[in-house]
Amino acid sequence: MIARIDSSITWITLATLFLVPLVFAFNGFVSVFSELKLVTLHLGAALIAILWLWQATLTRVPQRTARQDKLSFDLVSWVGRNPARWSILLASLWLISQGITVILSPLTVVSLFGSDDARSGYNLYDNISLFIVFLSVALRFRSQKNLQLLVFTLVASGTVAALYGVGQHFGFDPLGDSAGRNRVWSSFGNPLNFGSYMVMSIPATLAMAFLDRERRAVWLAGLSLALGFQLAGLWLSGGRGPYISFAASMIVLLLAGSSIATLRSLSRLGLVLLFGAMVAAVIALLPSPSEDIALSRVLSIGDQIIGTDSESNAGGIESGLEGRFEIWGATLDEATSWKTPQDDSALNAALRPVFGLGQDMYIYSYPLVGKAHEANDLVDHPHNFELQILMEQGVVGLLLFVGTVIALLLTALNVVRRAGVSNIASNPINLLILALIPATIGKLVEMQTGISRVSDLAMTFALFGSIVALSNVVSSMKTEEVDSDAAPKQSPARIDPWTASPLTVFVDHGLLQFEWTCVRLTCLSARARMPTSM
């Protein structure tokens, strides 16, 4: 029974993560929600929680009959110096602090359930569901098989979303509402959310090249085709933030791959990337009813950074970084005043910097500090995840979230380090490391300028949990240690550059050069000490 519950939780989690980014919003389809993504997330999280409680009840019954009612769990010793466990603890405290924020909110019901389905991912109900997804992956996916299933889910959902996004570009959109738009958004409702999901799925698809299949050529060709559609989807989304985040994820993938993967494996990955880019180029160059503005947006990234390019928004807030700078400045002004639509009591006013304005309250407080425009701009997000948390959840919420992210990054660093210095860097582990860690870091970079919603936050929190689960998988694997003192002294064997990682080849080449230099110096010194012949 326990094993069946475990399996049910795993498959419900995977089904939820697959469906949330793909379902469309149909107004009036359900009476309570207009956004079916929320229905899917909440239903999946509720089923997971119910099964988890059922399993906990079944597990506790034998313990009570054995008279083990005394609590023996030591939180301090359990956490220790393990950053993965610290991330679970900090994430739990973060959720508790959000409960306090809801109590102090001017509109408790809004902070608890949200006021608009289009602003998903920030009320307490959504955050509880996301936290359940995080815990489910962190605690139930602690095996290579389950983590590979998570990677398959990310790749499959990303490919399906990309296929539909490419179809939108060519005028095929029977379910969505992208008519007359030059930036595609697939089933996400916003091109930034679509682009950010591609930032997560592309590294996972590339890492699939590490899998050994009987028909390797067919397998790699299929991966190249799927990657090509995802790259085309990212390109056609037209989001500068996702473009930069994609570059960051590729840099992380290259750095991690050079430490744990072989040159032969990396060359296979590079081949898939090359053919995928060719497929994306063909898709982008084909004639379509939509104008491809991606190239102009890529070329304007530099101008946006130095502030020489601005895009008019018909009297409203400028798009790009200039508009974000305006929003960020007004948000920081709010962080010094903490104005709310209604008068606060002295106690609530004093606690605003600590616990924030309340979930989903940013849209009501921004007009009190934001600059007035001719157009009626409703700013419901500062285009920065940390600023959103600071405003709505206060300093405590921000510190706990940042602490959770730092713990996850330290966990990821430990995973790469352990895999790089031991002989456990097998193909399945390489796949998991290069699929999950670059995707997570790329998404974290995108969250600095994007607008995260449930459509991409569900997989984001799953990736957070996967880092914890991956750490447990790597730690539990047995590593073979070679006793250098007991081994007979032999001349060092030459390292095959195709079966060793680039970092190993570099170090080995440097050591050989150093040894050869020492031999030459020794010979020259011996010749200098020899007596001259008469």
Side-chain angles (χ1 to χ4, degrees):
M1 178 63 71
I2 302 298
R4 290 182 178 179
I5 295 177
D6 271 336
S7 178
S8 299
I9 291 176
T10 300
W11 287 107
I12 290 174
T13 303
L14 293 174
T16 302
L17 292 174
F18 180 79
L19 292 174
V20 165
L22 297 181
V23 295
F24 283 79
F26 297 102
N27 294 330
F29 185 77
V30 287
S31 59
V32 179
F33 299 99
S34 63
E35 179 60 83
L36 290 181
K37 297 180 186 297
L38 292 177
V39 178
T40 305
L41 175 64
H42 295 163
L43 179 60
L47 291 175
I48 294 171
I50 292 172
L51 290 174
W52 215 330
L53 290 174
W54 184 19
Q55 187 182 55
T57 302
L58 294 177
T59 305
R60 290 289 296 175
V61 169
Q63 293 180 354
R64 289 185 177 181
T65 58
R67 297 181 180 179
Q68 295 180 355
D69 294 332
K70 184 178 180 180
L71 183 64
S72 59
F73 178 71
D74 187 356
L75 179 63
V76 176
S77 61
W78 178 78
V79 173
R81 296 184 178 181
N82 189 334
R85 294 178 176 178
W86 270 104
S87 64
I88 296 177
L89 175 62
L90 292 173
S92 303
L93 294 176
W94 180 33
L95 188 65
I96 293 174
S97 71
Q98 292 184 49
I100 301 175
T101 300
V102 168
I103 297 175
L104 298 175
S105 172
L107 300 174
T108 303
V109 176
V110 171
S111 295
L112 182 58
F113 297 108
S115 62
D116 188 352
D117 290 347
R119 297 197 303 270
S120 61
Y122 298 98
N123 59 75
L124 184 60
Y125 191 11
D126 292 347
N127 276 279
I128 291 175
S129 302
L130 294 172
F131 180 75
I132 291 175
V133 170
F134 165 75
L135 278 187
S136 177
V137 176
L139 302 180
R140 301 290 176 170
F141 283 66
R142 294 188 171 188
S143 67
Q144 292 187 36
K145 177 183 176 181
N146 285 348
L147 286 177
Q148 283 187 10
L149 289 175
L150 177 63
V151 174
F152 294 155
T153 301
L154 175 56
V155 172
S157 59
T159 303
V160 173
L163 285 170
Y164 196 91
V166 171
Q168 284 180 335
H169 178 66
F170 291 102
F172 176 79
D173 190 12
L175 299 176
D177 184 22
S178 65
R181 302 180 185 274
N182 294 324
R183 298 171 61 185
V184 301
W185 56 40
S186 186
S187 56
F188 290 79
N190 190 309
L192 291 179
N193 300 121
F194 175 48
S196 68
Y197 202 83
M198 295 299 98
V199 170
M200 294 185 285
S201 66
I202 289 174
T205 306
L206 272 174
M208 295 285 285
F210 283 99
L211 280 181
D212 290 327
R213 297 300 190 196
E214 293 181 359
R215 299 181 179 180
R216 179 178 297 178
V218 177
W219 171 250
L220 296 181
L223 284 180
S224 300
L225 189 61
L227 181 67
F229 278 101
Q230 293 176 29
L231 288 172
L234 174 66
W235 177 261
L236 298 175
S237 68
R240 300 184 186 93
Y243 293 159
I244 298 174
S245 306
F246 165 72
S249 67
M250 290 297 99
I251 293 174
V252 173
L253 189 146
L254 179 62
L255 293 176
S258 64
S259 300
I260 63 174
T262 63
L263 280 176
R264 189 182 301 275
S265 299
L266 288 179
S267 64
R268 193 190 321 172
L269 186 147
L271 190 64
V272 172
L273 180 60
L274 175 62
F275 282 103
M278 294 172 61
V279 172
V282 171
I283 294 174
L285 293 176
L286 289 176
S288 71
S290 301
E291 180 185 358
D292 185 1
I293 62 173
L295 182 60
S296 62
R297 293 182 68 84
V298 170
L299 296 177
S300 65
I301 290 178
D303 295 333
Q304 284 281 323
I305 294 176
I306 63 178
T308 60
D309 177 69
S310 62
E311 299 177 7
S312 176
N313 196 21
I317 297 177
E318 301 290 344
S319 63
L321 270 182
E322 183 174 349
R324 281 163 173 73
F325 286 147
E326 178 182 338
I327 296 175
W328 293 344
T331 302
L332 292 176
D333 290 340
E334 171 66 17
T336 60
S337 59
W338 299 97
K339 295 181 179 180
T340 57
Q342 66 181 24
D343 294 334
D344 273 334
S345 64
L347 177 60
N348 286 352
L351 292 177
R352 288 292 170 219
V354 181
F355 294 104
L357 301 168
Q359 287 94 326
D360 220 1
M361 290 291 106
Y362 180 83
I363 189 174
Y364 301 109
S365 293
Y366 180 84
L368 302 178
V369 294
K371 180 181 177 182
H373 292 275
E374 295 178 6
N376 185 19
D377 289 316
L378 292 177
V379 180
D380 60 355
H381 196 288
H383 293 72
N384 180 277
F385 195 78
E386 288 79 11
L387 280 179
Q388 180 87 4
I389 293 178
L390 174 63
M391 290 296 95
E392 296 188 347
Q393 303 175 27
V395 176
V396 171
L398 177 62
L399 292 178
L400 289 174
F401 171 75
V402 172
T404 302
V405 171
I406 292 175
L408 289 172
L409 293 178
L410 291 177
T411 303
L413 184 62
N414 286 341
V415 167
V416 175
R417 179 181 57 82
R418 290 175 182 175
V421 300
S422 63
N423 60 350
I424 65 174
S426 59
N427 279 348
I429 294 298
N430 283 340
L431 183 153
L432 297 176
I433 292 175
L434 298 183
L436 300 173
I437 294 179
T440 303
I441 296 179
K443 176 56 181 174
L444 286 173
V445 174
E446 189 276 335
M447 292 167 78
Q448 307 312 304
T449 57
I451 307 175
S452 299
R453 301 298 186 200
V454 157
S455 56
D456 52 291
L457 280 177
M459 185 59 70
T460 301
F461 276 73
L463 289 177
F464 289 170
S466 71
I467 301 299
V468 178
L470 183 59
S471 173
N472 183 268
V473 170
V474 173
S475 300
S476 61
M477 294 186 65
K478 296 181 179 180
T479 59
E480 299 178 0
E481 297 181 358
V482 179
D483 189 354
S484 58
D485 295 334
K489 294 183 179 180
Q490 298 178 355
S491 58
R494 181 178 180 272
I495 294 179
D496 186 359
W498 285 103
T499 59
S501 67
L503 183 61
T504 304
V505 174
F506 175 78
V507 173
D508 178 68
H509 179 73
L511 291 175
L512 288 177
Q513 292 293 332
F514 178 74
E515 291 176 359
W516 176 244
T517 303
C518 292
V519 170
R520 292 187 60 186
L521 291 176
T522 303
C523 294
L524 291 175
S525 177
R527 290 181 60 184
R529 290 195 300 268
M530 292 179 60
T532 58
S533 59
M534 298 298 295

